[in-house]
């Protein structure tokens, strides 16, 4: 096992690579009995975690061992879809004592931390809490790999799936700071004349209008879809449209609630009540405090609702307003028996979800291209994580080498604020520092 300390993990700038971007050194400072490696990857057409596991299984296992030691865990489990039989068998042949594999059903959501902890450990995380509350730490596959090498190699590269309407769907290995457009071109380019980029997955990701937006340490993938695709049309609905249609068409069937993964876990979120509240409050918004516990999985809007309404956006709009107003539900009610009664038979099968979202026309593959994408210029964002943006530690005109720190979290009370350093991902010259981005031109 490599000798890696929590300080190494901080200095290497390791953050959650699965999308959340939580600084990993903070997570590893907790105490837990079990470490879960999240390889569930339930966003349709995204494949990078499975590909990374297949190619770098030894490094992921080393990262698991380091993380288990740091948090004091006696058990490590990799949660991965059972359909990836070859990777499951590879893991079974490699995992040492105290580590095992948990094959998961091909359903959505499976990678949500709360769902993963329940599926593997049968422990229910209370509403508003984190996995540590039930003795677990959850870590993405790529994050574990970054932890394994943290003592000698900072995070300068990202694996990401490029899929949908592209010539050759692929899992790319790209320098942090390359543009989304360059990644799509590396997958053979779009096969449609009106490409739209959905970043991070059709369920929980977002429509990125700027095709030159930058890859950061959390970018999991880009799906290219044409203008008339249902996912693009749904993403383009504006708030007044969502409210107007929701008010007039919701028949309170409550399917959105009965399939909501957080409600199934016993949490007090009931999206049909949020929809109902659109009808009777004076501000034209939802007003139900349980929306604070929505995980934004989008299942209610993109799968459950027979009317194609948007309870997810109604819940999240209300959740953000409650946060702004600093309204919290202290000691929310909680039914930890509900998952054992309903969870198993109410998951959304991936095949049905793909059909409903019009994704079955795309090739569901993503072989790894292990050659690092070459970029002439990269833009290193000073904020690629939860917490405070970094402050630049270089100036325009400086020569930098790949792996050199170029930004550090600010100090707060003599300690670094929540965050993680950022590093140059190519050798080059700092060409500009502008709008929270350090631009590096290759030498
Ligand atoms: S599933 Fe759709 S129609 Fe039914 S209650 Fe929820 S939002 Fe309303
Ligand atoms: S997005 Fe919908 S289904 Fe998902 S947690 Fe929120 S309310 Fe529940």
């Amino acid at each position: 096992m490599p000798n890696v300390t929590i300080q190494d993990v901080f200095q290497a700038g390791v953050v959650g690579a699965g999308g959340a971007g939580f600084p990993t050194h903070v997570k590893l400072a907790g105490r837990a009995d079990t470490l879960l490696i999240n390889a569930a990857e339930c966003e349709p057409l995204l494949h990078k975690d499975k590909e990374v596991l297949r190619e770098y299984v030894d490094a992921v296992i080393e990262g698991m061992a380091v993380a288990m030691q740091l948090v004091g865990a006696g058990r490590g489990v990799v949660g991965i879809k059972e359909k990836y039989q070859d990777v499951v068998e590879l893991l079974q042949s490699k995992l040492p004592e105290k580590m095992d594999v948990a094959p998961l059903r091909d359903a959505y959501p499976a990678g949500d931390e709360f769902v993963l902890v329940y599926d593997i450990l049968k422990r229910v995380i209370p509403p508003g809490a984190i996995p540590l509350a039930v003795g677990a730490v959850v870590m993405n596959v790529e994050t574990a790999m970054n932890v394994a090498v943290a003592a000698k190699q900072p995070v300068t590269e990202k694996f990401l799936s490029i899929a949908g309407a592209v010539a050759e769907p692929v899992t790319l290995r790209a320098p942090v700071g390359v543009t989304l457009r360059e990644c799509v071109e590396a997958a053979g380019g779009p096969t449609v004349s009106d490409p739209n980029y959905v970043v991070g997955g059709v369920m929980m990701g977002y429509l990125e209008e700027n095709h030159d937006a930058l890859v950061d340490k959390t970018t999991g993938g880009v799906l290219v879809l044409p203008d008339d695709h249902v996912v693009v049309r749904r993403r383009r609905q504006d708030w007044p449209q969502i409210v107007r249609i929701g008010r007039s068409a919701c028949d309170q069937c409550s399917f959105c609630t009965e399939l909501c993964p957080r409600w199934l876990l016993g949490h007090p979120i009931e999206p049909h009540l949020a929809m109902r509240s659109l009808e009777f409050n004076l501000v034209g918004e939802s007003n139900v405090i349980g929306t604070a516990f929505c995980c934004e999985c989008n299942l209610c809007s993109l799968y459950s609702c027979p009317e194609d309404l948007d309870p997810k956006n109604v819940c999240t709009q209300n959740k953000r307003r409650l946060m702004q107003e600093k309204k919290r539900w202290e000691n929310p009610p909680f039914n930890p028996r509900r998952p054992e009664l309903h969870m198993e038979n109410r998951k959304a099968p991936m095949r049905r979800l793909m059909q409903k979202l019009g994704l079955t026309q795309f090739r569901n593959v993503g072989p790894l291209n292990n050659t690092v994408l070459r970029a002439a210029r990269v833009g290193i964002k000073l904020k690629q994580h939860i917490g405070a943006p970094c402050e630049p530690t270089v100036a325009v005109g400086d020569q930098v080498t790949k792996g050199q720190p170029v930004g550090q979290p600010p100090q707060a009370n003599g300690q670094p604020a929540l965050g993680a350093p950022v590093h140059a991902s190519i050798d080059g010259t700092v060409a500009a520092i502008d709008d929270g981005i350090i631009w590096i031109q290759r030498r």
Side-chain angles (χ1 to χ4, degrees):
M1 180 176 65
N3 186 12
V4 178
T5 64
I6 287 185
Q7 185 62 14
D8 292 330
V9 175
F10 168 71
Q11 295 291 359
V14 184
V15 301
F22 190 77
T24 303
H25 66 283
V26 178
K27 197 178 258 195
L28 294 180
R31 303 298 291 170
D33 57 54
T34 308
L35 173 82
L36 299 184
I37 296 297
N38 190 350
E41 211 164 28
C42 55
E43 281 281 357
L45 300 175
L46 298 194
H47 293 278
K48 64 115 180 147
D49 288 336
K50 169 208 28 152
E51 296 297 325
V52 168
L53 259 178
R54 190 183 279 136
E55 184 73 19
Y56 296 104
V57 66
D58 294 326
V60 174
I61 292 171
E62 284 181 355
M64 277 178 82
V66 169
M68 284 170 65
Q69 187 188 53
L70 290 174
V71 301
R75 185 184 175 209
V77 188
V78 183
I80 183 169
K81 297 271 179 80
E82 62 189 357
K83 69 178 176 180
Y84 301 134
Q85 192 56 36
D86 62 325
V87 185
V88 171
E89 285 171 12
L90 177 67
L91 282 162
Q92 283 166 338
S93 71
K94 293 264 187 180
L95 287 173
E97 210 187 336
K98 298 184 181 170
M99 295 185 195
D100 52 317
V101 192
L104 306 168
R105 286 168 59 195
D106 195 15
Y108 182 89
D112 173 72
E113 285 190 344
F114 285 58
V115 172
L116 191 78
V117 167
Y118 179 74
D119 281 348
I120 296 178
L121 302 176
K122 295 290 174 277
R123 299 177 192 169
V124 184
I125 305 170
I130 58 173
L132 271 182
V134 294
V137 163
V138 181
M139 185 175 281
N140 173 263
V141 170
E142 204 180 336
T143 312
M145 197 173 126
N146 289 334
V147 165
V149 296
K152 49 184 194 283
Q153 195 177 307
V155 180
T156 59
E157 291 168 5
K158 187 74 189 77
F159 291 93
L160 66 165
S161 300
I162 310 295
V166 291
E168 289 300 330
V170 68
T171 299
L172 280 183
R173 186 173 171 185
V176 168
V178 73
T179 65
L180 300 178
R181 190 191 304 273
E182 288 169 284
C183 294
V184 170
E185 290 303 324
T191 55
V192 291
S193 57
D194 50 358
N196 293 271
Y197 291 4
V198 178
V199 178
V202 290
M203 299 301 284
M204 295 192 71
Y206 59 95
L207 188 63
E208 178 53 88
E209 303 288 359
N210 175 13
H211 292 188
D212 291 317
L214 301 168
V215 168
D216 64 27
K217 295 178 199 174
T218 67
T219 312
V222 182
L223 254 68
V224 178
L225 298 171
D227 269 344
D228 62 355
H229 194 276
V230 60
V231 170
V232 176
R233 282 193 282 111
R234 293 293 299 270
R235 286 285 193 288
R236 291 231 159 95
Q237 271 190 340
D238 62 18
W239 177 244
Q241 245 181 324
I242 290 168
V243 173
R244 195 180 64 250
I245 301 170
R247 272 183 170 158
S248 57
C250 177
D251 59 13
Q252 288 291 290
C253 69
S254 78
F255 276 15
C256 50
T257 293
E258 292 185 30
L259 296 179
C260 168
R262 291 297 172 96
W263 181 82
L264 288 167
L265 281 168
H267 292 195
I269 167 140
E270 297 178 81
H272 76 286
L273 295 184
M275 294 298 285
R276 189 190 299 172
S277 78
L278 285 177
E279 294 277 358
F280 54 62
N281 76 55
L282 292 177
V283 287
E285 294 176 354
S286 168
N287 196 9
V288 176
I289 199 157
T291 55
F293 305 109
C294 170
C295 68
E296 308 186 20
C297 71
N298 229 339
L299 196 69
C300 49
S301 296
L302 295 183
Y303 180 82
S304 315
C305 179
E307 312 277 353
D308 285 344
L309 305 181
D310 205 344
K312 179 259 179 179
N313 267 318
V314 171
C315 287
T316 50
Q317 200 270 353
N318 187 214
K319 174 175 153 179
R320 306 226 194 295
R321 186 161 60 83
L322 292 170
M323 282 166 71
Q324 269 176 8
E325 294 171 1
K326 300 198 184 333
K327 285 186 182 149
R328 278 177 63 88
W329 195 352
E330 302 296 344
N331 302 314
F334 170 42
N335 179 359
R337 288 241 25 235
R338 196 181 292 144
E340 76 189 68
L341 295 173
H342 298 302
M343 192 75 165
E344 270 309 294
N345 55 10
R346 292 204 191 167
K347 293 199 169 177
M350 186 54 72
R351 195 170 49 84
R352 285 284 304 119
L353 183 63
M354 299 256 305
Q355 281 167 347
K356 172 129 194 197
L357 294 176
L359 296 174
T360 50
Q361 59 182 300
F362 300 115
R363 287 162 62 201
N364 195 3
V365 295
L368 176 65
N369 178 350
N370 212 6
T371 306
V372 183
L373 188 64
R374 191 174 164 79
R377 189 170 96 126
V378 292
I380 307 296
K381 293 186 204 169
L382 287 163
K383 181 163 166 55
Q384 306 188 33
H385 46 259
I386 288 174
C390 287
E391 292 173 345
T393 53
V394 289
V396 173
D398 285 359
Q399 301 289 307
V400 292
T401 53
K402 181 179 173 182
Q404 177 182 331
V406 294
Q408 292 284 348
Q411 293 286 311
N413 302 323
Q415 294 287 324
L418 180 67
V422 293
H423 301 78
S425 60
I426 59 174
D427 296 339
T429 307
V430 177
I433 302 176
D434 187 24
D435 203 16
I437 298 169
I438 298 176
W439 293 98
I440 301 171
Q441 192 72 38
R442 187 181 284 280
R443 305 194 253 284

